Amino acid sequence: MNIVIVGASGYSGAELAKLISKHPQLNLAGLYVSANSLDKGKPLAALYPELTSIVDLTLQPLTESAFTDIEKNCDAVCLCTDHHVSVDLAPKFLSLNKKVFDLSGGFRLDSNSDYEKYYGFSHAKPELLESAVYGLAEWNSEQIKSAHLVAVPGCYPTAALNALKPLKQANLIDDSQIIVNAVSGVSGAGRKANVATSFCEVSLKPYGLFNHRHGPEIEKHLGHKVLFTPHLGNFSRGILETIYVTLKADVTAHDIAAAYQELADEPLVRLLADQIPTINGVAGTPFVDIAWQQQGSQLIVMSAIDNLQKGASAQALQCINLTLGLPAHTSLVGGQHG
């Protein structure tokens, strides 16, 4: 499969370029940025020196001639763009009969009103919200395999949903609201210069109280009320979530362990027996680490991922693998080449 990345100069785009370049059955056919980007014409390795001799491609402007080249020479497009840009670009590439893997939030929610409320723009293609497949690889693999438009999940929802869906499917959670406290490294805010997210300015703090766009995304794909509070931490990458769940009466430790066995055979999920998940344990990896502790009807679940890998690029690659008929973890786990 020949793949191009649009928005390749950002953190997730660069991470995805590295993963695709190392994949034995994928060809990175082009890297694109907006026509007015200051990065156009630069080698990606000039922005990310660690990619020298790994990704030897230059960032090209997404002009009309670029669309012609993509139509002729590639099979799929990965969008690592702003949400509203993805909404504009995805239908154009779909009309060229290309598979689209969107790493933005442009197609994750249900309706235009959701986008007006949580994203602050009117969705130009609400009809695509019904046909877009949510790319939570461990839980939606069959639909992903035949999808033309994949909405790669948000980083916070990826950690929360993998931690909570086993409990929900086993009918162990009572009707009360689940509380998700989450903290992310500053790379989750993107590469654009902003004093509020500058590493030297960041002090651990909550944000997006009651209105963060990942709250409704978690609720939609879990099917349960959630109070989600994100925090920005003064570290570069990684997400750690501490999740508070009230269990139904008489749920036992055995019931919980049995529910999580649903994930036991997933190569990118690590169920930690006697350890607490940490940022250092997942940074730079495609894994999600999950652990839990119970006291009566109260359950605390801990989930950790790398926001740029499992929370973005690695999960996008899982979705690409599935559309190729490959195991989702191909090229992400050592020795797994499909």
Side-chain angles (χ1 to χ4, degrees):
M1 179 182 278
N2 294 316
I3 299 180
V4 300
I5 300 174
V6 179
S9 62
Y11 293 137
S12 294
E15 195 81 19
L16 183 56
K18 177 176 68 175
L19 293 178
I20 291 175
S21 292
K22 293 181 176 181
H23 195 291
Q25 298 188 39
L26 300 178
N27 175 52
L28 187 58
L31 302 176
Y32 292 92
V33 293
S34 66
N36 59 358
S37 171
L38 297 177
D39 292 324
K40 65 183 178 183
K42 297 178 182 178
L44 185 62
L47 306 181
Y48 300 92
E50 67 273 22
L51 297 182
T52 301
S53 299
I54 297 174
V55 181
D56 295 321
L57 292 175
T58 297
L59 297 163
Q60 302 293 333
L62 189 64
T63 60
E64 286 304 315
S65 63
F67 276 93
T68 301
D69 290 340
I70 291 169
E71 182 178 13
K72 291 180 179 178
N73 300 316
C74 88
D75 306 296
V77 178
C78 295
L79 298 177
C80 300
T81 50
D82 287 341
H83 316 293
H84 67 281
V85 175
S86 288
V87 172
D88 178 56
L89 290 178
K92 295 179 180 180
F93 289 119
L94 290 170
S95 71
L96 299 178
N97 200 30
K98 308 303 175 187
K99 290 184 180 294
V100 176
F101 301 89
D102 179 28
L103 281 75
S104 83
F107 298 94
R108 295 172 184 161
L109 299 183
D110 279 332
S111 66
N112 180 51
S113 61
D114 287 334
Y115 281 89
E116 290 177 340
K117 180 176 181 179
Y118 294 106
Y119 282 85
F121 67 86
S122 183
H123 202 289
K125 294 291 180 179
E127 67 276 10
L128 288 179
L129 297 176
E130 293 186 9
S131 59
V133 172
Y134 194 62
L136 192 66
E138 281 75 18
W139 296 92
N140 212 15
S141 61
E142 289 304 312
Q143 284 185 279
I144 294 169
K145 288 177 182 178
S146 58
H148 294 284
L149 172 59
V150 176
V152 179
C155 51
Y156 286 125
T158 294
L161 290 168
N162 276 296
L164 290 170
K165 284 181 76 69
L167 304 172
K168 180 68 175 179
Q169 291 204 163
N171 199 29
L172 303 183
I173 305 172
D174 87 346
D175 293 333
S176 60
Q177 193 173 53
I178 295 169
I179 296 173
V180 179
N181 278 331
V183 59
S184 173
V186 293
S187 59
R191 185 169 168 263
K192 290 182 179 178
N194 186 325
V195 171
T197 56
S198 169
F199 196 90
C200 292
E201 300 292 333
V202 168
S203 177
L204 181 62
K205 65 176 183 180
Y207 65 99
L209 303 179
F210 294 110
N211 65 359
H212 193 279
R213 58 186 61 129
H214 284 170
E217 183 180 338
I218 296 169
E219 285 191 349
K220 172 186 175 180
H221 297 285
L222 180 63
H224 199 99
K225 288 285 290 180
V226 171
L227 177 59
F228 170 70
T229 305
H231 299 69
L232 187 63
N234 54 349
F235 53 94
S236 61
R237 59 194 293 167
I239 284 175
L240 180 66
E241 297 187 356
T242 305
I243 305 170
Y244 303 93
V245 178
T246 302
L247 301 167
K248 290 185 173 180
D250 302 321
V251 171
T252 67
H254 179 270
D255 295 330
I256 296 166
Y260 279 112
Q261 282 303 301
E262 181 79 14
L263 290 171
D265 294 329
E266 292 291 345
L268 297 186
V269 177
R270 301 188 296 199
L271 302 177
L272 307 184
D274 301 313
Q275 303 177 48
I276 300 295
T278 66
I279 294 294
N280 286 346
V282 294
T285 82
F287 298 105
V288 51
D289 286 356
I290 300 172
W292 61 92
Q293 291 190 14
Q294 179 188 9
Q295 183 171 294
S297 64
Q298 298 300 308
L299 184 72
I300 298 176
V301 186
M302 297 146 284
S303 180
I305 64 170
D306 184 307
N307 56 297
L308 299 179
Q309 281 247 353
K310 181 59 175 168
S313 60
Q315 187 149 238
L317 187 60
Q318 286 184 277
C319 295
I320 294 167
N321 282 330
L322 288 168
T323 65
L324 286 172
L326 299 171
H329 60 291
T330 299
S331 194
L332 290 168
V333 176
Q336 177 61 43
H337 299 301

